[in-house]
Amino acid sequence: MIWDLHCHLSGVDGKTADERIAQLMVYADRMGVERLVFFMGWPFLTDPTPEQFRKQNDQVLQAISHWHDRAFGFVYLNAKYVDESIAELDRYVKNGPMIGVKLWVASRCNDPSIDPIIKRAADLKALIYQHTWYKTGGNLIGESTPGDLALMAKRHPDVPLICGHTGGDFELGLRAIQDSPNVYAGIGGSDPTAGITEMAVRTLGADRVLYGSDIGGRSFSSQLAKVQGADIPEVSKRLILGGNLKRLLTPILKEKGIKV
Amino acid sequence: MICDVNVYLSRWPFRRLPCDTTSELVSKLKRSQISRAYAGSFDGLLYKDLRAVNQRLYDDCKSQGADLLIPVGSINPTLPGWEDDVIACHEQWKMTGIRLHPNYHEYELSSPETKKLFAMAAERGLFIQIAMRMEDDRTQHKLMRIPDVNFEALPGLMKEQDGLQVTILNGMKSLRGANLIRLTENPNLTIEIAMLEGVGGIEKIMEQVPYEQILFGSYFPFFYLESSLNKLKESQLGMEIEKQITWENAQKRFAKT
Ligand SMILES: [Zn+2]
């Protein structure tokens, strides 16, 4: 059972959302990926206005509409627009089919002004994915680090939070979140550097590690390899490839009447 | 049967990697149906005594390579007396090719030494591998920020050396479109799939590069070996093309006759 936490419609062939997701499902089938979480439309926008993130969310909504129970959506928000983001959450999660939140690089998540969004998402049981990186050349101005997320996580100790890319530089990222029990490492979306998954399991325990691919920019192949090729027990691999994500999503999927 | 053109022995300078001992590496390759692997050495990046690096590489391949590892010596044409390293690789250790890291050794492919090195390799029938990068530049050590190799001068260099085989290792994260086609216009230029990304990566790159010029490479043990192996499944190549990419192409070009 493989559940993919991290999929995009960008970087994929096809004019429409429907064409793009149909394309991706061909490859998902080949690689045995059962369920996929999508967020953000195309082209990628680092600092979208409310009008723009709404349009991107509509693209995702359209894409997943014919893949009920197989493709899920996380709503893309921009923490610079708190009120509009909360309205968007209500529109797509409370009153729509989406089951999580994606926060990217518009503003850093350690800033407490993000808190109303986190609280609202938690009320709705939406799973929160925060992109993070530690870039040698320096992050974008609004780009969070795993350290930023650890600070935010302290203010919301009961809310599960996903540390996207595990900070890219996983040796730093894993250390930054090791003492934040509500933070999970999303290991997708970086080179298949050997040792990442072993270190994640060593540092956090297998139940805090989540597979995701970051397609279309990445491949299923390279990202699945991080788990399949890791020197860890089979039972840990099963948790990372799907068990953990299923567990984290079960409350909201149940609420929405989706079979898991 | 798979031939992997992109393997490294010894230690990555910044981290221990799973399978970074030759015996572990060989047993993992064997378990994964890799029956031939062209191996360079991570020591070739930063060590100055490349003669000793290449000697160790040769010894390791011979004593622990189980007829599977084929040594590919490191050459740095900015070192005094580098020509003797080429001669040693070819005559003393009977190597069939050499591996270059121009960015770690701070020279451009347009330099006069490169021209001389290419001529020497061509004359001796050695193939050349050039690694474009060794890791994502965003994760490099702060004191070791190494830019990607610039391949601008490569087509001109290759034109002067008829029959010289050149493979770009770790190039497919960024080489695309016109930049790629300019290189692969020369049928003696090959690429490998270690850093190829995107869904159905091999299928898609075949729209730009003839499959005869695509090789199986894993960049093991820095990358999980399964990454490149999975790519053979993510793309539907058909038996014939898969055989070419995973075995025949490399044999035709690099195997000792
Ligand atoms: Zn992503």
Side-chain angles (χ1 to χ4, degrees):
Chain A
M1 184 197 75
I2 301 175
W3 286 31
D4 193 322
L5 163 71
H6 184 172
C7 304
H8 301 295
L9 299 167
S10 171
V12 184
D13 294 339
K15 276 198 199 98
T16 64
D18 290 339
E19 278 177 31
R20 286 175 186 232
I21 196 165
Q23 265 275 325
L24 290 172
M25 289 304 184
V26 172
Y27 297 101
D29 283 339
R30 282 184 199 168
M31 302 310 288
V33 179
E34 243 177 68
R35 307 209 192 194
L36 304 88
V37 173
F38 285 88
F39 33 78
M40 309 188 346
W42 74 92
F44 277 165
L45 296 170
T46 53
D47 189 9
T49 63
E51 193 189 332
Q52 287 171 325
F53 61 64
R54 181 157 308 170
K55 204 174 145 212
Q56 297 236 330
N57 290 324
D58 281 337
Q59 289 172 325
V60 172
L61 200 66
Q62 177 58 39
I64 64 173
S65 62
H66 302 300
W67 299 90
H68 202 58
D69 292 9
R70 180 161 190 203
F72 306 129
F74 280 14
V75 64
Y76 181 31
L77 304 177
N78 181 345
K80 277 185 184 166
Y81 305 95
V82 173
D83 293 341
E84 292 88 342
S85 286
I86 288 173
E88 193 80 347
L89 256 170
D90 283 351
R91 182 157 167 240
Y92 289 91
V93 178
K94 187 178 169 215
N95 304 315
M98 293 204 186
I99 57 173
V101 169
K102 162 70 187 261
L103 291 156
W104 201 24
V105 292
S107 63
R108 287 172 66 173
C109 64
N110 60 341
D111 184 340
S113 66
I114 200 174
D115 288 352
I117 299 176
I118 304 301
K119 283 205 183 85
R120 185 69 185 147
D123 286 346
L124 299 172
K125 301 191 177 76
L127 186 59
I128 297 163
Y129 179 102
Q130 171 66 60
H131 165 103
T132 67
W133 258 90
Y134 276 124
K135 288 179 180 160
T136 301
N139 281 15
L140 301 169
I141 289 170
E143 189 169 27
S144 304
T145 65
D148 293 335
L149 184 62
L151 288 172
M152 194 253 264
K154 264 211 179 83
R155 301 198 302 270
H156 306 273
D158 300 322
V159 181
L161 299 163
I162 296 166
C163 178
H165 305 279
T166 316
D169 190 330
F170 62 89
E171 291 173 293
L172 301 181
L174 289 166
R175 296 174 69 92
I177 61 170
Q178 63 189 353
D179 296 325
S180 310
N182 54 324
V183 177
Y184 295 74
I187 57 171
S190 59
D191 281 348
T193 307
I196 177 177
T197 311
E198 289 89 336
M199 183 178 171
V201 170
R202 213 162 56 228
T203 310
L204 309 178
D207 51 3
R208 278 173 61 196
V209 184
L210 304 169
Y211 155 77
S213 60
D214 204 5
I215 56 162
R218 294 276 175 182
S219 59
F220 290 114
S221 292
S222 63
Q223 307 302 307
L224 285 168
K226 291 178 180 172
V227 191
Q228 293 162 342
D231 185 14
I232 54 172
E234 279 308 313
V235 50
S236 303
K237 291 185 185 180
R238 284 199 291 273
L239 284 173
I240 297 168
L241 286 173
N244 292 331
L245 183 58
K246 180 178 168 182
R247 185 181 74 243
L248 288 168
L249 289 175
T250 293
I252 191 163
L253 288 176
K254 258 192 178 162
E255 202 141 289
K256 299 207 175 288
I258 296 169
K259 274 205 193 104
V260 289
Chain B
M1 230 167 33
I2 296 174
C3 172
D4 188 338
V5 299
N6 185 7
V7 166
Y8 279 83
L9 302 190
S10 196
R11 302 270 164 85
W12 174 243
F14 303 99
R15 183 192 313 126
R16 287 301 302 270
L17 303 168
C19 297
D20 67 3
T21 64
T22 306
S23 61
E24 286 174 300
L25 177 127
V26 167
S27 73
K28 171 89 186 183
L29 288 171
K30 271 188 174 165
R31 283 201 308 276
S32 313
Q33 322 314 321
I34 311 283
S35 38
R36 197 163 288 179
Y38 287 90
S41 172
F42 283 128
D43 298 345
L45 297 175
L46 300 175
Y47 289 32
K48 294 173 194 166
D49 184 3
L50 285 186
R51 193 80 51 84
V53 167
N54 290 333
Q55 177 76 60
R56 270 199 308 280
L57 174 70
Y58 171 80
D59 291 343
D60 267 5
C61 290
K62 198 158 181 171
S63 63
Q64 301 179 69
D67 294 328
L68 181 158
L69 293 181
I70 302 167
V72 184
S74 293
I75 300 295
N76 175 357
T78 70
L79 288 175
W82 62 266
E83 294 91 339
D84 290 348
D85 290 335
V86 178
I87 295 169
C89 285
H90 184 217
E91 295 180 10
Q92 189 179 341
W93 301 307
K94 313 286 181 222
M95 291 181 185
T96 50
I98 56 178
R99 194 171 284 185
L100 309 181
H101 302 94
N103 47 355
Y104 281 76
H105 297 157
E106 292 192 290
Y107 65 93
E108 297 290 333
L109 294 182
S110 54
S111 72
E113 307 91 74
T114 316
K115 197 173 162 144
K116 190 170 174 200
L117 172 56
F118 270 56
M120 222 173 147
E123 195 190 325
R124 292 168 177 270
L126 297 169
F127 64 80
I128 292 180
Q129 299 185 324
I130 309 172
M132 184 173 185
R133 55 160 55 186
M134 300 301 282
E135 67 174 316
D136 189 327
D137 57 350
R138 298 171 296 180
T139 62
Q140 287 173 345
H141 193 285
K142 267 188 212 157
L143 301 177
M144 287 284 297
R145 300 191 58 196
I146 318 276
D148 286 350
V149 173
N150 181 343
F151 288 108
E152 180 104 19
L154 186 57
L157 268 174
M158 288 183 68
K159 217 188 234 161
E160 289 171 26
Q161 309 299 340
D162 245 9
L164 175 69
Q165 292 289 332
V166 177
T167 305
I168 295 177
L169 308 180
N170 296 344
M172 295 317 293
K173 188 73 208 296
S174 41
L175 288 174
R176 282 291 183 288
N179 285 337
L180 177 61
I181 289 164
R182 222 184 123 249
L183 294 167
T184 52
E185 262 167 6
N186 188 324
N188 291 335
L189 189 287
T190 40
I191 57 162
E192 56 79 39
I193 62 169
M195 289 201 180
L196 181 62
E197 285 288 6
V199 285
I202 305 178
E203 280 172 4
K204 302 227 167 103
I205 209 67
M206 275 167 49
E207 293 164 13
Q208 292 180 37
V209 180
Y211 67 82
E212 293 90 342
Q213 287 169 258
I214 302 174
L215 306 172
F216 181 90
S218 67
Y219 194 30
F220 181 63
F222 191 98
F223 280 1
Y224 288 110
L225 183 57
E226 286 75 3
S227 173
S228 282
L229 291 171
N230 279 344
K231 287 171 191 170
L232 301 172
K233 188 167 142 197
E234 189 164 333
S235 286
Q236 264 173 13
L237 301 170
M239 267 212 335
E240 189 47 40
I241 290 179
E242 183 172 325
K243 202 168 91 188
Q244 302 278 339
I245 290 175
T246 56
W247 186 259
E248 301 279 337
N249 291 343
Q251 300 320 302
K252 268 184 227 153
R253 289 162 188 270
F254 313 131
K256 248 188 224 171
T257 44

